[in-house]
Amino acid sequence: MSIVLKRTGQKSPSVVSFKLTRLQVNKPTCADTVYEAIKAGYRLLDGAGDYGNEKEAGDGVRRALADGIVKREELFITSKLWNTFHSHDHVKMITKKQLKLWGIDYFDLFLVHFPISLQYVDPDHRYPPEWWGDDGQVHLDNVPMHETWKAMEELVDEGLVKNIGLSNCQGSLILDVQQYAKYQPQVLQIEHHPLLTQEPLVKLCNVLDIAVTGYSSFGPQSYLELGICQEIPSLILHDVISTIAMAHDKTPAQVLLRWATQRGIAVIPKSNSRDRLVANLQCNSFDLTEQELAEISNLNRNYRMNDPVTIDPRMAIFA
């Protein structure tokens, strides 16, 4: 299954996708994990400058290309613009650096990671810069989105990226970008799982022909493994999910992924286990009933786990 991006007509895989967040795909294992994911059949790799593993991810890609497992044009590689590089003059510079780290000529998709502008940090000084200055404090910068978006559009014109989009944005900002965009956002990437269904935002994107990609499809699972978000109930162990999984002879993870894809949302699961990598790919081999879809959606509690407000109240982008 794939999602066709409106402006370019390029097909983005809806399930054959793998997220490279630093939470679970760290530098020592990243190259091997990417190689195994491609070997298992994954074709979309979702990376970001902030993940700190771009070179290692690129090493895995180059190994897969060299072994003839896949051709570059068969891969859909996504990356993201970090908050410290929002100004016009920094967007192209950092994109070229990220491409060099990956060892590729273009990104298939490049997203604005957060609608937050932070003061510039020279990548030769510290990369990735994360959220803080050298003093451990958050330093906001006055760069409006229209400046950043114009620079993103120039990346398309110069062939450095094929598609551009947004991440972690709400409807008001999407509508604002639409007013001045030469190239409309092709994709919106959001936190999306049964505890945070974001239905009005998803409907808006459907109306605007913006493809939606959901991350954290398993809810707090990866966070629980790291010892955080302990107060949020596990979806993998939830009775509703487990019962539906048993009825279909599928894993809870496959049910959670299928719930999203049946709603037209692409998913980017991550795992270091080859068996789970393969199992996740099979999530579209069955259909949930309308009643089952509704039961899962009714678990919504508006629980958001990835929220910059926990770092600094001035970054309450979801308020």
Side-chain angles (χ1 to χ4, degrees):
M1 292 181 65
S2 61
I3 293 173
V4 179
L5 303 184
K6 183 181 178 182
R7 183 181 61 81
T8 62
Q10 192 173 4
K11 293 182 178 179
S12 170
S14 64
V15 182
V16 195
S17 315
F18 189 79
K19 193 167 184 66
L20 294 163
T21 174
R22 73 173 77 197
L23 290 176
Q24 288 189 318
V25 187
N26 54 39
K27 284 187 176 183
T29 64
C30 183
D32 288 340
T33 300
V34 167
Y35 179 83
E36 290 299 330
I38 295 173
K39 191 174 180 180
Y42 286 82
R43 294 296 177 262
L44 188 154
L45 302 173
D46 183 84
D50 184 53
Y51 297 164
N53 53 16
E54 294 167 293
K55 181 184 181 302
E56 292 74 19
D59 290 342
V61 168
R62 285 189 291 276
R63 180 180 164 196
L65 294 175
D67 288 354
I69 296 173
V70 70
K71 298 177 181 178
R72 170 63 183 94
E73 58 269 25
E74 295 171 333
L75 293 175
F76 192 100
I77 299 179
T78 298
S79 195
K80 305 179 188 74
L81 175 76
W82 186 242
N83 307 331
T84 51
F85 307 109
H86 275 207
S87 71
H88 178 274
D89 293 342
H90 294 145
V91 171
K92 188 186 304 181
M93 173 275 294
I94 198 61
T95 304
K96 288 183 175 180
K97 176 180 175 66
Q98 291 176 240
L99 286 169
K100 185 176 181 180
L101 287 169
W102 274 90
I104 57 178
D105 296 326
Y106 65 90
F107 288 123
D108 295 276
L109 176 64
F110 201 58
L111 305 174
V112 179
H113 204 154
F114 284 92
I116 298 170
S117 177
L118 300 178
Q119 287 183 14
Y120 174 70
V121 176
D122 188 334
D124 289 336
H125 172 64
R126 177 160 46 90
Y127 185 81
E130 300 184 316
W131 293 92
W132 304 275
D134 290 344
D135 59 359
Q137 302 299 310
V138 172
H139 299 281
L140 300 179
D141 200 7
N142 295 322
V143 181
M145 180 58 76
H146 68 76
E147 177 179 333
T148 304
W149 193 253
K150 183 179 186 297
M152 295 282 285
E153 292 173 331
E154 291 175 4
L155 299 178
V156 175
D157 290 336
E158 296 190 24
L160 297 175
V161 307
K162 292 191 173 183
N163 303 278
I164 51 178
L166 301 166
S167 180
N168 300 303
C169 290
Q170 296 299 86
S172 57
L173 186 55
I174 296 170
L175 294 172
D176 178 71
V177 171
Q178 281 211 316
Q179 302 307 308
Y180 47 77
K182 178 173 71 171
Y183 302 138
Q184 298 294 330
Q186 295 276 278
V187 174
L188 175 68
Q189 187 174 125
I190 57 173
E191 180 180 341
H192 177 267
H193 45 76
L195 299 176
L196 184 67
T197 58
Q198 304 214 62
E199 292 179 11
L201 182 57
V202 171
K203 289 179 181 177
L204 173 64
C205 288
N206 290 339
V207 169
L208 299 177
D209 287 321
I210 298 174
V212 179
T213 299
Y215 66 83
S216 294
S217 297
F218 304 141
Q221 189 61 32
S222 60
Y223 299 87
L224 291 171
E225 293 169 1
L226 294 169
I228 57 179
C229 292
Q230 298 294 316
E231 74 282 2
I232 302 176
S234 170
L235 286 171
I236 295 292
L237 301 177
H238 198 286
D239 287 345
V240 169
I241 306 300
S242 299
T243 299
I244 293 174
M246 291 179 61
H248 291 273
D249 193 24
K250 300 294 180 181
T251 67
Q254 288 172 321
V255 168
L256 290 167
L257 294 174
R258 187 60 181 134
W259 168 79
T261 60
Q262 271 189 249
R263 301 176 73 228
I265 295 171
V267 291
I268 41 177
K270 56 184 180 290
S271 176
N272 287 326
S273 163
R274 179 173 174 80
D275 289 343
R276 288 198 294 269
L277 284 172
V278 173
N280 290 342
L281 284 178
Q282 300 169 353
C283 71
N284 278 345
S285 63
F286 68 106
D287 289 329
L288 300 171
T289 67
E290 290 299 321
Q291 180 178 344
E292 289 169 337
L293 289 170
E295 288 177 358
I296 297 174
S297 295
N298 286 338
L299 297 178
N300 181 50
R301 297 296 182 271
N302 295 319
Y303 281 138
R304 187 183 299 277
M305 294 169 290
N306 186 13
D307 193 342
V309 74
T310 61
I311 299 173
D312 191 299
R314 297 172 298 167
M315 299 193 295
I317 57 176
F318 303 118

